[in-house]
Amino acid sequence: MSKKKGSGSFKDNLITRSQEASTVRKIVLIILVALFLILAIGAISGYLYVKSALEPVDAESEEEITVEIPIGSSSSNIAAILEENGIIKDGRVFRFYVKFNNESDFQAGEYTFTPAMTFDEIIESLKNGRVILDAVHTVTIPEGLTIDQIAEIYSERFDFTKEEFLETVNDRAYVKELMERYPNLLSEEILDPDIRTPLEGYLFASTYDYYVESPSIESIVEGMLDQTQNVVSKYMPAIEELDFNVHEALTFASLVERETASEEQRQQISGVFYNRLEAEMPLQTDPTVLYALEEHNEVVTYEDLEIDSPYNTYKVTALPIGPIANFAESSLNAVVEPADTDYMYFLHDKKGEIYYAETYEEHLQNRDEYMK
């Protein structure tokens, strides 16, 4: 009897210890998982914070802020002054950036900066003793231009050729680097072999100031991508609600952009395009034909409409394969806020007026009346 009782106690002890060990293992596992999640969240948060701190405070700001850099100021002092005046987001990040890039020899004096300046622009001004911030070059890139046209504008202002600009933006290795830097903007779709130029439609139309005599092509391209990202980020929730990705949204915006310069008409045309997409009708917009032809003709012929191209919306019953031009913000806004309309057709007269129709018969009537 005593042996059986002792044997049972021993067995019970083993079970208890096993349960305790299992509980301990579970607790340890939970603690390890929690620590891993905390570290992962911390790492991601840190990365996003540093990434944000490296960007301009406000890329579109034109506010001029004058600061005094005293004689003998260290990089830490300068970083604190810049952060205090709202020229940079975080002095520590600026200080580490300066140290990492081995920058030094900053000059004392009175400087005028803007919240739109990048770290490199600020550092260059401090090194060169540029007291008042004056743009060496100001270049305006209009809406509705192709990269080919943008390259032409820049080649006329700076010491590189149009061909060199185009070679850079078509360099797939460079484009892949940009995709890593702008993961929320540039996707694998831009590398489709049928895409004529990967960055077509992604170089934002705006006025750009350059504070060096000869900016590199890469700095120009990345400055334009920064502007595009700033604009697109505001519309991301609306784009996602439409079940579009960024590439599709910018493609759509480029079509609206090339059809009309009127903001009110852009919303109407966007509404027509949505109606056609829903009905699985070709969008039949002439600017896509011209882009496919690589020409800037005023008139599209019936023969032109037959070109076999993934850009030709007389042939495809969806959006073209990619953007056909850069866009204004109002065009992107028209994509996410189209007019609520039953129109399925529209046409332009010779004066640029646009006439809409719900049926093909009405469209033919408009053509007979306004296109004589």
Side-chain angles (χ1 to χ4, degrees), residues 190-233:
I190 66 174
L191 294 178
D192 190 303
D194 289 328
I195 292 279
R196 183 188 302 169
T197 301
L199 299 181
E200 188 75 88
Y202 287 87
L203 303 185
F204 193 68
S206 185
T207 296
Y208 296 92
D209 290 328
Y210 298 98
Y211 300 93
V212 295
E213 185 63 41
S214 301
S216 67
I217 296 173
E218 290 81 0
S219 68
I220 291 172
V221 170
E222 289 157 29
M224 300 183 81
L225 287 174
D226 287 340
Q227 287 287 77
T228 305
Q229 183 163 264
N230 289 335
V231 171
V232 171
S233 63

Side-chain angles (χ1 to χ4, degrees), residues 41-275:
I41 292 171
I44 294 170
S45 299
Y47 169 78
L48 293 175
Y49 180 84
V50 172
K51 183 175 182 293
S52 174
L54 289 169
E55 297 172 348
V57 174
D58 183 356
E60 298 181 0
S61 175
E62 297 181 357
E63 178 187 8
E64 295 186 349
I65 302 172
T66 301
V67 298
E68 177 72 25
I69 304 298
I71 295 175
S73 295
S74 66
S75 60
S76 297
N77 298 139
I78 294 172
I81 292 170
L82 296 176
E83 181 180 357
E84 182 180 348
N85 286 275
I87 298 165
I88 60 175
K89 296 178 181 179
D90 190 303
R92 291 170 300 174
V93 175
F94 181 82
R95 190 168 69 250
F96 291 140
Y97 185 86
V98 167
K99 186 175 182 180
F100 181 79
N101 288 282
N102 198 29
E103 300 287 2
S104 59
D105 298 325
F106 296 147
Q107 299 186 38
E110 187 179 77
Y111 292 81
T112 301
F113 297 119
T114 78
M117 294 180 69
T118 64
F119 278 10
D120 289 338
E121 290 169 344
I122 294 170
I123 290 169
E124 183 173 351
S125 294
L126 292 168
K127 289 173 65 176
N128 295 331
R130 190 189 300 278
V131 177
I132 301 298
L133 181 67
D134 291 320
V136 179
H137 300 282
T138 297
V139 181
T140 297
I141 302 299
E143 298 92 349
L145 297 190
T146 64
I147 279 188
D148 188 81
Q149 293 169 312
I150 293 171
E152 183 73 34
I153 292 173
Y154 277 118
S155 68
E156 292 174 353
R157 297 296 301 273
F158 299 121
D159 58 356
F160 51 75
T161 65
K162 174 181 176 180
E163 289 70 27
E164 287 172 332
F165 188 96
L166 292 174
E167 182 179 348
T168 300
V169 296
N170 284 296
D171 183 340
R172 294 178 75 85
Y174 176 54
V175 171
K176 287 180 180 179
E177 290 178 16
L178 293 175
M179 289 168 62
E180 293 180 0
R181 290 189 55 184
Y182 301 90
N184 297 325
L185 181 65
L186 303 177
S187 66
E188 289 287 341
E189 289 172 285
I190 66 174
L191 294 178
D192 190 303
D194 289 328
I195 292 279
R196 183 188 302 169
T197 301
L199 299 181
E200 188 75 88
Y202 287 87
L203 303 185
F204 193 68
S206 185
T207 296
Y208 296 92
D209 290 328
Y210 298 98
Y211 300 93
V212 295
E213 185 63 41
S214 301
S216 67
I217 296 173
E218 290 81 0
S219 68
I220 291 172
V221 170
E222 289 157 29
M224 300 183 81
L225 287 174
D226 287 340
Q227 287 287 77
T228 305
Q229 183 163 264
N230 289 335
V231 171
V232 171
S233 63
K234 296 185 291 185
Y235 293 89
M236 280 304 298
I239 291 172
E240 291 171 356
E241 284 185 16
L242 292 169
D243 288 330
F244 277 156
N245 58 35
V246 171
H247 186 72
E248 291 167 334
L250 297 196
T251 299
F252 202 145
S254 74
L255 304 188
V256 174
E257 178 70 43
R258 291 291 289 119
E259 278 291 356
T260 180
S262 166
E263 293 187 18
E264 293 181 3
Q265 299 284 17
R266 282 172 176 168
Q267 289 187 307
Q268 283 282 8
I269 287 175
S270 179
V272 173
F273 284 159
Y274 272 111
N275 291 343

Side-chain angles (χ1 to χ4, degrees), residues 4 14 17 84 97 164 261 286 340:
K4 288 183 179 180
L14 284 177
R17 290 177 182 177
E84 182 180 348
Y97 185 86
E164 287 172 332
D286 289 356
D340 185 8

